[in-house]
mmCIF file of all heavy atoms in Angstrom:
data_model
loop_
_atom_site.group_PDB
_atom_site.id
_atom_site.type_symbol
_atom_site.label_atom_id
_atom_site.label_comp_id
_atom_site.label_asym_id
_atom_site.label_seq_id
_atom_site.Cartn_x
_atom_site.Cartn_y
_atom_site.Cartn_z
ATOM 1 N N THR A 1 87.051 127.791 128.791
ATOM 2 C CA THR A 1 87.445 129.169 129.045
ATOM 3 C C THR A 1 88.587 129.184 130.052
ATOM 4 O O THR A 1 88.457 128.621 131.143
ATOM 5 C CB THR A 1 86.278 129.990 129.591
ATOM 6 O OG1 THR A 1 85.185 129.960 128.667
ATOM 7 C CG2 THR A 1 86.707 131.442 129.804
ATOM 8 N N ILE A 2 89.673 129.836 129.675
ATOM 9 C CA ILE A 2 90.808 130.009 130.584
ATOM 10 C C ILE A 2 90.726 131.396 131.203
ATOM 11 O O ILE A 2 90.358 132.364 130.535
ATOM 12 C CB ILE A 2 92.156 129.801 129.854
ATOM 13 C CG1 ILE A 2 93.321 129.791 130.847
ATOM 14 C CG2 ILE A 2 92.362 130.844 128.756
ATOM 15 C CD1 ILE A 2 94.653 129.366 130.212
ATOM 16 N N SER A 3 91.034 131.469 132.488
ATOM 17 C CA SER A 3 91.029 132.751 133.185
ATOM 18 C C SER A 3 92.077 132.694 134.301
ATOM 19 O O SER A 3 92.628 131.634 134.582
ATOM 20 C CB SER A 3 89.647 133.060 133.759
ATOM 21 O OG SER A 3 89.267 132.079 134.705
ATOM 22 N N ARG A 4 92.312 133.842 134.916
ATOM 23 C CA ARG A 4 93.300 133.872 135.995
ATOM 24 C C ARG A 4 92.922 134.925 137.019
ATOM 25 O O ARG A 4 92.257 135.916 136.696
ATOM 26 C CB ARG A 4 94.704 134.128 135.450
ATOM 27 C CG ARG A 4 94.924 135.495 134.845
ATOM 28 C CD ARG A 4 96.257 135.555 134.103
ATOM 29 N NE ARG A 4 97.389 135.365 134.999
ATOM 30 C CZ ARG A 4 98.618 135.016 134.578
ATOM 31 N NH1 ARG A 4 98.845 134.841 133.286
ATOM 32 N NH2 ARG A 4 99.602 134.868 135.448
ATOM 33 N N ASP A 5 93.385 134.707 138.236
ATOM 34 C CA ASP A 5 93.225 135.664 139.316
ATOM 35 C C ASP A 5 94.619 135.884 139.897
ATOM 36 O O ASP A 5 95.109 135.052 140.665
ATOM 37 C CB ASP A 5 92.264 135.121 140.379
ATOM 38 C CG ASP A 5 91.964 136.120 141.474
ATOM 39 O OD1 ASP A 5 92.775 137.045 141.678
ATOM 40 O OD2 ASP A 5 90.934 135.981 142.129
ATOM 41 N N ASN A 6 95.252 136.970 139.513
ATOM 42 C CA ASN A 6 96.635 137.205 139.944
ATOM 43 C C ASN A 6 96.732 137.473 141.447
ATOM 44 O O ASN A 6 97.772 137.223 142.049
ATOM 45 C CB ASN A 6 97.250 138.349 139.154
ATOM 46 C CG ASN A 6 97.569 137.957 137.726
ATOM 47 O OD1 ASN A 6 97.706 136.763 137.400
ATOM 48 N ND2 ASN A 6 97.667 138.932 136.842
ATOM 49 N N ALA A 7 95.669 137.963 142.047
ATOM 50 C CA ALA A 7 95.686 138.186 143.500
ATOM 51 C C ALA A 7 95.736 136.868 144.261
ATOM 52 O O ALA A 7 96.227 136.818 145.393
ATOM 53 C CB ALA A 7 94.459 138.981 143.915
ATOM 54 N N LYS A 8 95.233 135.802 143.621
ATOM 55 C CA LYS A 8 95.219 134.479 144.244
ATOM 56 C C LYS A 8 96.269 133.544 143.662
ATOM 57 O O LYS A 8 96.314 132.360 144.025
ATOM 58 C CB LYS A 8 93.840 133.847 144.093
ATOM 59 C CG LYS A 8 92.731 134.589 144.826
ATOM 60 C CD LYS A 8 91.392 133.878 144.687
ATOM 61 C CE LYS A 8 90.300 134.611 145.453
ATOM 62 N NZ LYS A 8 88.985 133.933 145.321
ATOM 63 N N ASN A 9 97.083 134.058 142.743
ATOM 64 C CA ASN A 9 98.098 133.207 142.103
ATOM 65 C C ASN A 9 97.484 131.936 141.519
ATOM 66 O O ASN A 9 98.047 130.844 141.651
ATOM 67 C CB ASN A 9 99.214 132.824 143.087
ATOM 68 C CG ASN A 9 100.274 133.896 143.218
ATOM 69 O OD1 ASN A 9 100.056 135.047 142.854
ATOM 70 N ND2 ASN A 9 101.428 133.530 143.733
ATOM 71 N N THR A 10 96.374 132.093 140.853
ATOM 72 C CA THR A 10 95.638 130.923 140.368
ATOM 73 C C THR A 10 95.169 131.142 138.936
ATOM 74 O O THR A 10 94.732 132.243 138.578
ATOM 75 C CB THR A 10 94.435 130.624 141.272
ATOM 76 O OG1 THR A 10 94.901 130.412 142.611
ATOM 77 C CG2 THR A 10 93.700 129.373 140.805
ATOM 78 N N VAL A 11 95.258 130.080 138.147
ATOM 79 C CA VAL A 11 94.699 130.072 136.795
ATOM 80 C C VAL A 11 93.635 128.975 136.751
ATOM 81 O O VAL A 11 93.754 127.948 137.425
ATOM 82 C CB VAL A 11 95.794 129.862 135.726
ATOM 83 C CG1 VAL A 11 96.476 128.512 135.896
ATOM 84 C CG2 VAL A 11 95.234 130.010 134.328
ATOM 85 N N TYR A 12 92.588 129.224 135.979
ATOM 86 C CA TYR A 12 91.444 128.320 135.920
ATOM 87 C C TYR A 12 91.205 127.847 134.497
ATOM 88 O O TYR A 12 91.580 128.513 133.527
ATOM 89 C CB TYR A 12 90.182 129.042 136.414
ATOM 90 C CG TYR A 12 90.296 129.624 137.791
ATOM 91 C CD1 TYR A 12 90.597 130.973 137.962
ATOM 92 C CD2 TYR A 12 90.102 128.847 138.921
ATOM 93 C CE1 TYR A 12 90.715 131.530 139.230
ATOM 94 C CE2 TYR A 12 90.210 129.386 140.194
ATOM 95 C CZ TYR A 12 90.519 130.723 140.338
ATOM 96 O OH TYR A 12 90.628 131.264 141.597
ATOM 97 N N LEU A 13 90.543 126.709 134.401
ATOM 98 C CA LEU A 13 90.061 126.227 133.110
ATOM 99 C C LEU A 13 88.630 125.739 133.316
ATOM 100 O O LEU A 13 88.406 124.700 133.933
ATOM 101 C CB LEU A 13 90.936 125.101 132.564
ATOM 102 C CG LEU A 13 90.578 124.643 131.150
ATOM 103 C CD1 LEU A 13 90.894 125.743 130.135
ATOM 104 C CD2 LEU A 13 91.319 123.355 130.771
ATOM 105 N N GLN A 14 87.686 126.537 132.845
ATOM 106 C CA GLN A 14 86.275 126.153 132.896
ATOM 107 C C GLN A 14 85.975 125.308 131.666
ATOM 108 O O GLN A 14 86.178 125.778 130.536
ATOM 109 C CB GLN A 14 85.377 127.387 132.923
ATOM 110 C CG GLN A 14 83.893 127.078 132.909
ATOM 111 C CD GLN A 14 83.417 126.390 134.176
ATOM 112 O OE1 GLN A 14 83.809 126.781 135.280
ATOM 113 N NE2 GLN A 14 82.580 125.369 134.037
ATOM 114 N N MET A 15 85.492 124.096 131.885
ATOM 115 C CA MET A 15 85.243 123.168 130.788
ATOM 116 C C MET A 15 83.758 122.825 130.756
ATOM 117 O O MET A 15 83.233 122.241 131.723
ATOM 118 C CB MET A 15 86.080 121.896 130.968
ATOM 119 C CG MET A 15 87.570 122.167 131.136
ATOM 120 S SD MET A 15 88.560 120.662 131.174
ATOM 121 C CE MET A 15 87.959 119.914 132.683
ATOM 122 N N ASN A 16 83.107 123.202 129.687
ATOM 123 C CA ASN A 16 81.683 122.929 129.504
ATOM 124 C C ASN A 16 81.473 121.993 128.320
ATOM 125 O O ASN A 16 82.369 121.817 127.493
ATOM 126 C CB ASN A 16 80.931 124.236 129.271
ATOM 127 C CG ASN A 16 81.026 125.195 130.443
ATOM 128 O OD1 ASN A 16 81.122 124.783 131.603
ATOM 129 N ND2 ASN A 16 80.997 126.488 130.154
ATOM 130 N N SER A 17 80.276 121.436 128.245
ATOM 131 C CA SER A 17 79.919 120.537 127.129
ATOM 132 C C SER A 17 81.001 119.489 126.904
ATOM 133 O O SER A 17 81.443 119.247 125.773
ATOM 134 C CB SER A 17 79.703 121.346 125.851
ATOM 135 O OG SER A 17 78.695 122.320 126.024
ATOM 136 N N LEU A 18 81.396 118.857 127.964
ATOM 137 C CA LEU A 18 82.506 117.908 127.888
ATOM 138 C C LEU A 18 82.145 116.687 127.054
ATOM 139 O O LEU A 18 80.992 116.224 127.053
ATOM 140 C CB LEU A 18 82.939 117.487 129.281
ATOM 141 C CG LEU A 18 83.800 118.530 130.006
ATOM 142 C CD1 LEU A 18 83.803 118.291 131.512
ATOM 143 C CD2 LEU A 18 85.211 118.525 129.459
ATOM 144 N N LYS A 19 83.152 116.168 126.345
ATOM 145 C CA LYS A 19 83.004 115.027 125.466
ATOM 146 C C LYS A 19 83.941 113.914 125.931
ATOM 147 O O LYS A 19 84.964 114.195 126.575
ATOM 148 C CB LYS A 19 83.369 115.416 124.030
ATOM 149 C CG LYS A 19 82.601 116.592 123.488
ATOM 150 C CD LYS A 19 83.124 116.978 122.103
ATOM 151 C CE LYS A 19 82.388 118.185 121.554
ATOM 152 N NZ LYS A 19 82.906 118.569 120.200
ATOM 153 N N PRO A 20 83.637 112.683 125.593
ATOM 154 C CA PRO A 20 84.550 111.591 125.974
ATOM 155 C C PRO A 20 85.990 111.813 125.496
ATOM 156 O O PRO A 20 86.937 111.428 126.185
ATOM 157 C CB PRO A 20 83.917 110.359 125.319
ATOM 158 C CG PRO A 20 82.458 110.689 125.279
ATOM 159 C CD PRO A 20 82.395 112.169 125.001
ATOM 160 N N GLU A 21 86.147 112.449 124.357
ATOM 161 C CA GLU A 21 87.495 112.689 123.839
ATOM 162 C C GLU A 21 88.256 113.752 124.625
ATOM 163 O O GLU A 21 89.447 113.975 124.366
ATOM 164 C CB GLU A 21 87.458 113.069 122.354
ATOM 165 C CG GLU A 21 86.496 114.175 121.999
ATOM 166 C CD GLU A 21 85.159 113.647 121.507
ATOM 167 O OE1 GLU A 21 84.624 112.676 122.105
ATOM 168 O OE2 GLU A 21 84.630 114.232 120.533
ATOM 169 N N ASP A 22 87.610 114.408 125.584
ATOM 170 C CA ASP A 22 88.307 115.334 126.468
ATOM 171 C C ASP A 22 88.986 114.606 127.633
ATOM 172 O O ASP A 22 89.711 115.224 128.415
ATOM 173 C CB ASP A 22 87.334 116.374 127.043
ATOM 174 C CG ASP A 22 86.769 117.295 125.982
ATOM 175 O OD1 ASP A 22 87.533 117.729 125.102
ATOM 176 O OD2 ASP A 22 85.547 117.574 126.040
ATOM 177 N N THR A 23 88.738 113.315 127.753
ATOM 178 C CA THR A 23 89.359 112.534 128.815
ATOM 179 C C THR A 23 90.876 112.560 128.694
ATOM 180 O O THR A 23 91.430 112.249 127.637
ATOM 181 C CB THR A 23 88.859 111.077 128.771
ATOM 182 O OG1 THR A 23 87.456 111.060 129.048
ATOM 183 C CG2 THR A 23 89.581 110.209 129.786
ATOM 184 N N ALA A 24 91.542 112.969 129.771
ATOM 185 C CA ALA A 24 92.996 113.103 129.765
ATOM 186 C C ALA A 24 93.460 113.556 131.147
ATOM 187 O O ALA A 24 92.640 113.910 131.998
ATOM 188 C CB ALA A 24 93.446 114.134 128.720
ATOM 189 N N VAL A 25 94.759 113.553 131.333
ATOM 190 C CA VAL A 25 95.358 114.238 132.478
ATOM 191 C C VAL A 25 95.646 115.670 132.038
ATOM 192 O O VAL A 25 96.310 115.885 131.010
ATOM 193 C CB VAL A 25 96.652 113.560 132.943
ATOM 194 C CG1 VAL A 25 97.291 114.357 134.079
ATOM 195 C CG2 VAL A 25 96.366 112.130 133.391
ATOM 196 N N TYR A 26 95.152 116.621 132.794
ATOM 197 C CA TYR A 26 95.306 118.030 132.463
ATOM 198 C C TYR A 26 96.408 118.645 133.333
ATOM 199 O O TYR A 26 96.387 118.512 134.565
ATOM 200 C CB TYR A 26 93.996 118.773 132.671
ATOM 201 C CG TYR A 26 93.005 118.522 131.567
ATOM 202 C CD1 TYR A 26 92.380 117.289 131.432
ATOM 203 C CD2 TYR A 26 92.706 119.504 130.633
ATOM 204 C CE1 TYR A 26 91.488 117.030 130.402
ATOM 205 C CE2 TYR A 26 91.811 119.266 129.602
ATOM 206 C CZ TYR A 26 91.211 118.027 129.495
ATOM 207 O OH TYR A 26 90.332 117.793 128.468
ATOM 208 N N HIS A 27 97.340 119.310 132.648
ATOM 209 C CA HIS A 27 98.474 119.935 133.318
ATOM 210 C C HIS A 27 98.455 121.445 133.084
ATOM 211 O O HIS A 27 98.193 121.885 131.966
ATOM 212 C CB HIS A 27 99.799 119.413 132.755
ATOM 213 C CG HIS A 27 100.029 117.954 132.926
ATOM 214 N ND1 HIS A 27 100.713 117.427 134.013
ATOM 215 C CD2 HIS A 27 99.682 116.903 132.153
ATOM 216 C CE1 HIS A 27 100.779 116.120 133.877
ATOM 217 N NE2 HIS A 27 100.162 115.763 132.768
ATOM 218 N N CYS A 28 98.777 122.205 134.125
ATOM 219 C CA CYS A 28 99.023 123.620 133.884
ATOM 220 C C CYS A 28 100.528 123.846 133.795
ATOM 221 O O CYS A 28 101.325 123.032 134.277
ATOM 222 C CB CYS A 28 98.403 124.496 134.961
ATOM 223 S SG CYS A 28 99.129 124.357 136.588
ATOM 224 N N ALA A 29 100.898 124.935 133.153
ATOM 225 C CA ALA A 29 102.298 125.223 132.894
ATOM 226 C C ALA A 29 102.531 126.722 132.911
ATOM 227 O O ALA A 29 101.629 127.499 132.565
ATOM 228 C CB ALA A 29 102.721 124.642 131.544
ATOM 229 N N ALA A 30 103.756 127.096 133.287
ATOM 230 C CA ALA A 30 104.118 128.508 133.375
ATOM 231 C C ALA A 30 105.240 128.835 132.397
ATOM 232 O O ALA A 30 106.251 128.127 132.336
ATOM 233 C CB ALA A 30 104.566 128.858 134.796
ATOM 234 N N ASP A 31 105.043 129.917 131.656
ATOM 235 C CA ASP A 31 106.088 130.465 130.794
ATOM 236 C C ASP A 31 106.590 131.724 131.481
ATOM 237 O O ASP A 31 105.927 132.776 131.424
ATOM 238 C CB ASP A 31 105.516 130.770 129.414
ATOM 239 C CG ASP A 31 106.535 131.403 128.480
ATOM 240 O OD1 ASP A 31 107.599 131.851 128.955
ATOM 241 O OD2 ASP A 31 106.269 131.451 127.277
ATOM 242 N N ARG A 32 107.727 131.636 132.135
ATOM 243 C CA ARG A 32 108.214 132.750 132.938
ATOM 244 C C ARG A 32 108.670 133.942 132.096
ATOM 245 O O ARG A 32 108.830 135.045 132.613
ATOM 246 C CB ARG A 32 109.342 132.278 133.849
ATOM 247 C CG ARG A 32 108.850 131.469 135.030
ATOM 248 C CD ARG A 32 109.988 131.063 135.945
ATOM 249 N NE ARG A 32 110.314 129.667 135.803
ATOM 250 C CZ ARG A 32 111.554 129.188 135.862
ATOM 251 N NH1 ARG A 32 112.573 129.994 135.998
ATOM 252 N NH2 ARG A 32 111.766 127.880 135.768
ATOM 253 N N ASP A 33 108.861 133.740 130.803
ATOM 254 C CA ASP A 33 109.233 134.862 129.936
ATOM 255 C C ASP A 33 108.037 135.711 129.530
ATOM 256 O O ASP A 33 108.212 136.785 128.948
ATOM 257 C CB ASP A 33 109.936 134.342 128.682
ATOM 258 C CG ASP A 33 111.301 133.759 128.995
ATOM 259 O OD1 ASP A 33 111.908 134.190 129.998
ATOM 260 O OD2 ASP A 33 111.746 132.877 128.248
#
């Protein structure tokens, strides 16, 4: 689940039921448009 709190300038990614194939480096990114 992705969510955001604009008052805190923060975006979150809640990850449940994780699997070995979810192993990775996770990056956030901004689309200014």
Side-chain angles (χ1 to χ4, degrees):
T1 302
I2 188 171
S3 62
R4 67 191 296 161
D5 185 338
N6 287 339
K8 295 182 179 180
N9 277 18
T10 302
V11 62
Y12 304 98
L13 186 68
Q14 177 67 43
M15 306 186 295
N16 298 329
S17 302
L18 282 161
K19 305 175 182 180
E21 50 264 43
D22 294 318
T23 296
V25 176
Y26 283 71
H27 298 267
C28 67
D31 177 346
R32 285 182 255 143
D33 291 333

